[in-house]
Amino acid sequence: MALLNLQLKDFRNIRHARLVPAPGINLLVGPNGSGKTSILEAIHYLGFGRSFRTHLTGRVILQGEQAFTLFARVAREPESLPVGLSKTRGGGTRLKVGGRIADRLADLAHILPIQLIHPEGYNLLTGGPKLRRAYLDWGLFYSHREFFAAWGRFRRLLKQRNALLRQQRPWRELSYWDTQLVAAGEQLTGFRQQYAEAISPVIRDIATDFLPEFDFTFDFFRGWDRQSELARVLEQGYERDLSLGYTQSGPHKAEIRIKARGMPVQDLLSRGQLKLLVCAMRLAQGLYLKQQSGQDCIFLIDDFASELDEQKRSLLAERLNQLGAQVFISAIDITQLGQMITRDNSKLFHVKQGEITENPGVRVSQ
Ligand SMILES: Nc1ncnc2c1ncn2[C@@H]1O[C@H](COP(=O)(O)OP(=O)(O)OP(=O)(O)O)[C@@H](O)[C@H]1O
């Protein structure tokens, strides 16, 4: 998938802007506070229905305005598809796909798979399991048609179980619902296990290139111990769950644990190295998606230069070029991009105080 055009209205400091990006690498260059990240944030909004910087819609709408609107045309076979998203301060959302009102953000997400690499992205490794679970689930959302329904079913049943626990309901009442929870949970776990096994060698391959000094191991944790059945874990944990008011173990605690030299990577790697491993993980998902379904991701890379030395930046750029995906990269200065962006189908945009201008005829390789 690639964006053929993008329009922003009243989004952060951008009153109105229209971009016709290249199908390859798009460079957004401008000083601090000019609006580069806001453009990435807008594209992210179209793919995820939310920002990666705030969960408050009001922060994203241009001050003094009541709503923001984003519109894009997405390249698709046999013909391109218009998509639009508008959000108001009051919490209203208006979504359009192919000229029709859509009611689920998932409809938009399916059309626009997006991978984000940003300066705080190493959180994926240093933050809680939720982030690594979301990483696995992102891949499954695009690669397994049944995943989303299974995930939704499990979440509903878990919410209901937790509500019953808070109401101090007896075990026999919970056990009736647990049969369904276990079935949904095992299906979900099967999907995640499969995906974790498939994506790990793809990450390892790219990570070996970026960080040859480490040999990474990937261990999928399903959310409860290896020896026990989920039904048994729920039964045995009932008294404790009742006192806590929520379910302690299960697929909602799943994650992928990554180690090198026998240590969790978050305790061993430097920040730059963590960032590179996260880049490898994100690229791996894009590559795997393409291999499995022929679908391309859009890559958003905020502050390209931060914490990566020149050699590592070149390696990242090389991989991005090989992938052939549409990429949006923000940087303060074009010189930070060095020798690396050589693909012909690149464009350079200057961003200044919320105004975006294309720099025509500039070959991006320096
Ligand atoms: N809701 C809003 N309304 C108007 N302006 C806003 C709003 N939210 C943020 N801004 C301003 O928008 C600008 C855009 O910030 P953005 O993070 O996109 O800049 P940037 O070019 O990525 O900067 P940097 O290089 O420092 O990361 C900032 O100057 C910020 O103060």
Side-chain angles (χ1 to χ4, degrees):
M1 303 304 127
L3 299 182
L4 299 175
N5 64 38
L6 171 69
Q7 282 184 55
L8 298 85
K9 189 172 175 304
D10 298 335
F11 192 90
R12 295 277 189 191
N13 65 335
I14 303 169
R15 163 106 21 225
H16 188 261
R18 185 168 191 275
L19 272 85
V20 179
I25 301 218
N26 294 281
L27 304 172
L28 308 165
V29 177
N32 289 130
S34 55
K36 306 178 296 293
T37 307
S38 303
I39 301 167
L40 304 183
E41 191 180 22
I43 301 171
H44 188 276
Y45 237 115
L46 279 174
F48 287 88
R50 60 180 163 77
S51 163
F52 56 86
R53 299 204 279 190
T54 176
H55 59 275
L56 301 172
T57 309
R59 300 276 154 86
V60 178
I61 300 169
L62 178 71
Q63 278 175 343
E65 296 301 331
Q66 290 308 311
F68 75 75
T69 306
L70 304 171
F71 176 84
R73 190 164 271 279
V74 183
R76 296 251 291 191
E77 290 298 333
E79 58 185 23
S80 64
L81 192 69
V83 296
L85 173 68
S86 179
K87 276 188 169 261
T88 65
R89 282 195 192 275
T93 300
R94 200 176 150 84
L95 202 64
K96 269 185 145 186
V97 175
R100 293 210 189 117
I101 304 276
D103 49 20
R104 294 182 335 155
L105 282 168
D107 295 338
L108 204 51
H110 264 296
I111 296 161
L112 275 183
I114 285 173
Q115 285 289 346
L116 169 73
I117 295 172
H118 66 120
E120 287 81 44
Y122 59 84
N123 279 348
L124 175 61
L125 298 166
T126 57
K130 188 178 171 189
L131 299 169
R132 289 175 297 283
R133 194 161 55 247
Y135 173 83
L136 295 174
D137 290 350
W138 184 95
L140 283 162
F141 179 77
Y142 292 103
S143 61
H144 236 295
R145 230 182 301 148
E146 292 152 57
F147 166 77
F148 192 52
W151 179 80
R153 207 162 38 247
F154 176 78
R155 272 171 54 116
R156 268 194 313 281
L157 289 160
L158 181 68
K159 210 168 147 192
Q160 186 178 344
R161 185 180 203 269
N162 289 340
L164 292 174
L165 285 168
R166 284 194 298 277
Q167 293 162 22
Q168 301 287 303
R169 296 305 246 263
W171 165 245
R172 71 188 137 73
E173 203 175 319
L174 262 81
S175 66
Y176 170 77
W177 293 106
D178 276 0
T179 317
Q180 292 182 44
L181 183 80
V182 166
E186 281 175 347
Q187 190 189 19
L188 187 60
T189 303
F191 288 147
R192 284 179 176 154
Q193 172 99 43
Q194 238 178 38
Y195 186 77
E197 280 168 14
I199 200 74
S200 300
V202 189
I203 305 173
R204 192 179 294 117
D205 176 56
I206 303 173
T208 307
D209 201 15
F210 287 0
L211 296 161
E213 62 274 42
F214 297 107
D215 185 15
F216 296 104
T217 60
F218 301 84
D219 184 24
F220 171 65
F221 172 64
R222 58 184 183 165
W224 71 98
D225 71 76
R226 278 178 213 278
Q227 287 77 37
S228 314
E229 307 255 306
L230 180 55
R232 187 119 187 81
V233 167
L234 293 176
E235 190 181 343
Q236 285 177 341
Y238 169 69
E239 291 297 338
R240 180 104 202 271
D241 289 352
L242 200 64
S243 65
L244 291 169
Y246 63 85
T247 309
Q248 283 176 87
S249 304
H252 55 297
K253 297 285 161 115
E255 68 153 318
I256 186 162
R257 293 171 176 165
I258 310 177
K259 288 186 174 176
R261 299 180 193 155
M263 275 169 80
V265 285
Q266 61 273 30
D267 297 336
L268 179 69
L269 271 57
S270 73
R271 264 202 356 196
Q273 288 169 333
L274 285 170
K275 182 167 172 175
L276 279 162
L277 180 55
V278 170
C279 289
M281 292 172 74
R282 302 273 177 221
L283 284 166
Q285 286 203 306
L287 186 61
Y288 185 70
L289 180 68
K290 191 162 181 170
Q291 286 167 350
Q292 293 300 299
S293 66
Q295 216 179 348
D296 274 312
C297 279
I298 294 176
F299 280 85
L300 307 178
I301 305 186
D302 191 20
D303 202 359
F304 186 65
S306 91
E307 295 185 88
L308 299 185
D309 62 40
E310 207 175 318
Q311 187 236 355
K312 301 296 189 198
R313 279 185 252 161
S314 299
L315 283 170
L316 175 58
E318 207 177 299
R319 283 283 185 170
L320 285 167
N321 275 320
Q322 280 167 5
L323 209 59
Q326 189 175 42
V327 187
F328 293 83
I329 301 177
S330 76
I332 289 175
D333 198 306
I334 184 95
T335 56
Q336 293 178 319
L337 299 158
Q339 289 286 336
M340 58 200 109
I341 313 293
T342 53
R343 216 154 90 197
D344 286 336
N345 53 358
S346 308
K347 276 192 180 182
L348 171 65
F349 296 91
H350 287 293
V351 188
K352 203 173 163 191
Q353 293 178 350
E355 304 269 329
I356 305 159
T357 45
E358 190 182 327
N359 202 336
V362 171
R363 249 190 76 77
V364 168
S365 50
Q366 291 277 292

